[in-house]
Amino acid sequence: MRRPHPCLLAPAAVLLLATACGTEHADPAGGADSTGGAGAAVPAPRAIVTDPPVDGVRVTSVTLPTASPSPAASLGSVHADRLHGDSGISAAYQVGNDGDEAMTYTVFFAFTTDTGEVMGNKKVTVSGVAAGGSRNGTVDLGVLAPGASPVTRVKVQRVTKVPAAEAPSETGACPASGLRLWADDGDAAMGLRVVGLHLENCGKRDCALDGYPRLSLLDENREPVDGIRIRHGGAAIASGTGFDDPPAPLTLKPGESARSGLVWRNTTLAGTAVNVPYVRVVAKPGARPVTVTPELDLGTTGQLGVGAWKRADG
């Protein structure tokens, strides 16, 4: 069972139709084409948005197409050309970095109804936004599920950001280190959490591993989190997670991969629950650190298990 992402509970900027109440204003580009013939295609209606940013990310407009007209449509009818099955719903956004180093942002968008019911989610990664700079983009909903209610709003649910030099990379150009490291979405069952760490040798030299990834736990400001015991082996938290084996030396040739895992429980008893959004991972001594975002909801357990590196097919 896939673990529900905690970002779904975070507050966010909201996008409304131009006809709704709020700070949105009709975009002139979204009106009917008064010079075209019957059924002339024009840009879909947009709503300009002036809501404040969420962690440096703001949505600037939302596009919600009208239905396509029939061949006998009257002069001035509006429709949006799009691929078969595609909803044509999208939102334009801007990512602004007011920090002093380049950052990579991961932004979670929700496409909702007037009442806030989520009809679709999208995740966008914006890499290497320079210090003091900004980046613009567009996120498309794509296909809307059959029977879904009309989407009238789009919101930024959550933003995570890590230094660009420490950003995980599952695809794309091979990092200068020759090692590609990332975390998966994880699984959850009965309060047990397991998130996989994946390491690929995308370089040209062999990579020797022997032991466990080195972990640093960081809060929302990427400052160290104290008081959490990091225990070796998944069995220190629960058996049967697949990360119980003791460490053994292995060599990854170019193109080969290894995996480890983070294991914890979210039990909350007496005390204050601890949440750790960021984990800085060093695959082996001397390797470049990579910061992943597994969203550790550690409850009051005070401990996290980490598995030894093993071959990805082992």
Side-chain angles (χ1 to χ4, degrees):
M1 178 176 66
R2 186 164 297 277
R3 176 166 59 99
H5 202 289
C7 73
L8 296 179
L9 304 178
V14 177
L15 287 75
L16 307 179
L17 283 171
T19 55
C21 297
T23 55
E24 295 73 24
H25 307 284
D27 187 334
D33 182 1
S34 60
T35 61
V42 300
R46 288 192 299 162
I48 302 302
V49 181
T50 58
D51 291 315
V54 177
D55 292 335
V57 180
R58 67 185 186 94
V59 182
T60 57
S61 68
V62 59
T63 299
L64 301 173
T66 59
S68 296
S70 66
S74 61
L75 180 66
S77 295
V78 178
H79 76 278
D81 292 332
R82 53 185 183 271
L83 297 176
H84 177 70
D86 190 277
S87 66
I89 299 170
S90 64
Y93 62 85
Q94 182 179 76
V95 178
N97 180 6
D98 60 359
D100 56 6
E101 63 178 322
M103 303 292 289
T104 289
Y105 293 71
T106 299
V107 187
F108 299 87
F109 295 91
F111 295 75
T112 78
T113 65
D114 275 332
T115 60
E117 185 180 2
V118 177
M119 295 294 106
N121 299 97
K122 288 294 181 178
K123 181 176 76 170
V124 174
T125 297
V126 184
S127 302
V129 182
S134 64
R135 192 82 61 79
N136 297 322
T138 302
V139 56
D140 299 310
L141 173 59
V143 177
L144 193 61
S149 300
V151 170
T152 59
R153 307 182 181 207
V154 183
K155 61 184 180 181
V156 178
Q157 292 182 307
R158 182 172 174 80
V159 177
T160 61
K161 52 186 178 182
V162 302
E166 297 183 8
S169 58
E170 184 175 353
T171 60
C174 184
S177 65
L179 295 176
R180 193 193 309 280
L181 190 151
W182 70 95
D184 60 34
D185 290 336
D187 289 292
M190 299 297 290
L192 177 66
R193 316 299 205 213
V194 181
V195 167
L197 297 178
H198 303 265
L199 182 70
E200 177 191 355
N201 181 359
C202 57
K204 299 180 179 180
R205 299 180 180 179
D206 291 354
C207 172
L209 299 172
D210 185 5
Y212 301 87
R214 278 67 169 173
L215 308 179
S216 299
L217 308 186
L218 308 176
D219 64 17
E220 62 274 9
N221 298 314
R222 295 185 305 284
E223 297 293 334
V225 174
D226 298 322
I228 304 300
R229 182 183 178 188
I230 298 176
R231 305 185 64 182
H232 284 169
I237 306 299
S239 60
T241 63
F243 299 107
D244 302 340
D245 297 337
L250 64 101
T251 299
L252 297 182
K253 296 186 177 299
E256 294 184 335
S257 300
R259 63 189 180 102
S260 174
L262 306 178
V263 182
W264 75 97
R265 291 192 182 276
N266 72 334
T267 307
T268 300
L269 299 174
T272 302
V274 176
N275 295 302
V276 178
Y278 299 99
V279 177
R280 181 176 285 128
V281 182
V282 177
K284 66 174 189 173
R288 175 183 72 96
V290 174
T291 299
V292 298
T293 55
E295 304 286 351
L296 306 179
D297 54 341
L298 297 173
T300 55
T301 61
Q303 58 184 352
L304 171 70
V306 58
W309 288 118
K310 62 180 182 178
R311 291 193 181 279
D313 57 355

